[in-house]
Structure formats: C-alpha cells, structure tokens
C-alpha cells in the first residue's frame, strides 16, 4: 500500500509545528509588528515556499500561534477544575489551577501583541473574545455545578459573574508579571487573590 500521502501529511504537520515554534521565539523577542515572513522562515530553517504551504499570511500564522496557546490554557483550567466532586474545595482547586497554569513571560508578550492587534481589527477581536468566552465558560460551568454545595460571595452575583472576576484577576496578575518577570511571585499572588475572591469565610452549602 502506498503511504506517501500519510508521510506528506506528517511532514507537513512537523513543518507547521516548527514554523509555529520559530514564530513564537521571534515574536516574543521582537514583537509581531516588527517581524517578517523571512525572519520566521530563517528561524525555522525553511524557505518561503514551506511557509506559504502552511499559512497564507503572517497574520494567519500569528492567529494559529495564539489559538494553540489559548486552547492549552483553557484545557489546563478545565482539567484542574474537574477533579473535585459535586462540591468545590475552592482553596484546593485554586491551588491546582495556579500550579499548572501557563505563566510564561514570552507567551504574555505574544498575547499582548495579539491584544493590541485585535484592538485594531474587528475580525481578530471576535476571535480573541471567543477564546475569552470559552475560558470563562469553563470556569462558570464548574462553579454552576458546585451550586448547593459551595457558597460563593454574593457580591460576585452568579457563576458567570464569578468567572468574569477570575479572568480579570488573571489579567491583572499577568500584567504585573510582564513588568517584574517574577513567575513564582505571580503564582503565589494569583492563588491568594483567587482564593480571597471566591470565598467568604464560609464553606457550607449555599
């Protein structure tokens, strides 16, 4: 049996992965607006032909890179929150989330570039908002399942309101991380902040 198509597909996937890895390094070092296709190709060790067989534009590659990392973060959060039973041990769940959550300065630099880019392009903005909605929904779904078992501070409103607050806290901590580059301090501060945000001193049923 001829397995040439399978080999081509695997080779193309490897090429795409190398281009994404190279682009991540170059974008983090120089910023999205200062990077050319040639620089990405050079960093990956490929020709422009290899680039164009995987991506139509630098914007398309940038979006693919963002989507890859954003999906990873959403999966990390969902997995960490899925480990409790019907109730939610907030301090334990927060600890799991902050322990595994991707807090990488290079990623935050790329993410910030993407945010600025999205602010000037409505189509990109919709994609970014979609990711943030999925991330919030993963958190809100878990908080909703804990209703009747775990009390949340009334000031946060419903589970969706609490999820908005969690994402906002993450945004604030990662902004500080961009400036001081202290990952361990960011994890500790995020854990303290989220625990305080999601608890009101009572752990009984609502």
């Amino acid at each position: 049996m001829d397995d040439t198509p399978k080999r081509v597909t695997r080779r193309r996937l490897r090429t795409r992965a190398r281009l994404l890895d190279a682009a991540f390094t170059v974008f983090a070092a120089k910023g999205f607006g200062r990077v050319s296709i040639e620089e990405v190709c050079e960093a990956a060790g490929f020709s422009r032909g290899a680039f164009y067989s995987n991506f139509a534009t630098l914007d398309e590659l940038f979006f693919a890179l963002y989507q890859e990392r954003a999906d990873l973060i959403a999966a990390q959060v969902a997995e960490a929150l899925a480990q409790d039973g019907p109730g939610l041990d907030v301090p334990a769940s927060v600890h799991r989330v902050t322990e595994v959550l991707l807090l990488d300065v290079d990623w935050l630099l790329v993410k910030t570039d993407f945010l600025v880019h999205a602010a000037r392009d409505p189509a990109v903005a919709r994609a970014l908002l979609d990711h943030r909605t999925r991330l919030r929904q993963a958190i809100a779904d878990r908080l909703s399942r804990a209703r009747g078992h775990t009390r949340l501070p009334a000031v946060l409103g419903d589970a969706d309101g609490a999820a908005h607050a969690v994402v906002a806290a993450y945004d604030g901590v990662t902004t500080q991380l961009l400036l001081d580059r202290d990952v361990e301090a960011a994890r500790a501060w995020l854990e303290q902040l989220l625990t305080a945000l999601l608890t009101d001193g009572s752990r009984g049923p609502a």
Side-chain angles (χ1 to χ4, degrees):
M1 183 176 67
D2 184 6
D3 64 347
T4 299
K6 187 179 293 186
R7 289 202 304 271
V8 170
T9 299
R10 281 201 289 260
R11 183 165 64 245
R12 183 171 181 177
L13 288 174
R14 287 195 297 269
T15 299
R16 179 183 174 89
R18 280 178 59 183
L19 284 167
L20 287 170
D21 286 344
F24 179 82
T25 300
V26 177
F27 287 148
K30 300 186 67 174
F32 172 67
R34 299 181 178 181
V35 172
S36 67
I37 289 174
E38 288 79 9
E39 287 173 300
V40 173
C41 291
E42 182 180 353
F46 291 128
S47 66
R48 286 175 65 94
F51 179 93
Y52 285 117
S53 70
N54 288 274
F55 304 102
T57 65
L58 203 58
D59 277 25
E60 184 181 317
L61 180 150
F62 192 47
F63 177 77
L65 177 63
Y66 176 84
Q67 197 67 40
E68 180 182 73
R69 298 298 173 112
D71 287 347
L72 171 62
I73 289 174
Q76 288 175 331
V77 170
E79 183 177 350
L81 289 175
Q83 295 181 34
D84 286 322
L88 185 67
D89 184 336
V90 171
S93 293
V94 166
H95 178 74
R96 284 198 303 272
V97 168
T98 55
E99 192 172 49
V100 303
L101 191 61
L102 179 66
L103 288 176
D104 177 74
V105 173
D106 284 345
W107 156 242
L108 294 174
L109 288 168
V110 173
K111 176 186 169 185
T112 301
D113 272 351
F114 194 84
L115 177 62
V116 173
H117 184 48
R120 296 188 173 95
D121 187 324
V124 178
R126 284 194 296 273
L128 179 58
L129 288 170
D130 177 66
H131 161 65
R132 291 175 68 82
T133 297
R134 286 188 292 115
L135 181 59
R136 285 198 308 269
Q137 192 61 53
I139 298 168
D141 286 350
R142 183 63 188 92
L143 295 176
S144 293
R145 291 199 304 274
R147 280 177 131 181
H149 302 274
T150 303
R151 188 190 308 276
L152 294 174
V155 70
L156 296 177
D158 58 12
D160 192 54
H164 272 80
V166 168
V167 174
Y170 171 74
D171 286 342
V173 169
T174 53
T175 297
Q176 179 67 26
L177 175 58
L178 267 176
L179 300 176
D180 64 25
R181 307 296 181 99
D182 191 336
V183 175
E184 292 310 310
R187 287 194 194 282
W189 174 231
L190 185 60
E191 182 171 353
Q192 293 172 16
L193 183 59
L194 292 182
T195 301
L197 183 68
L198 295 174
T199 59
D200 61 358
S202 172
R203 302 179 70 175

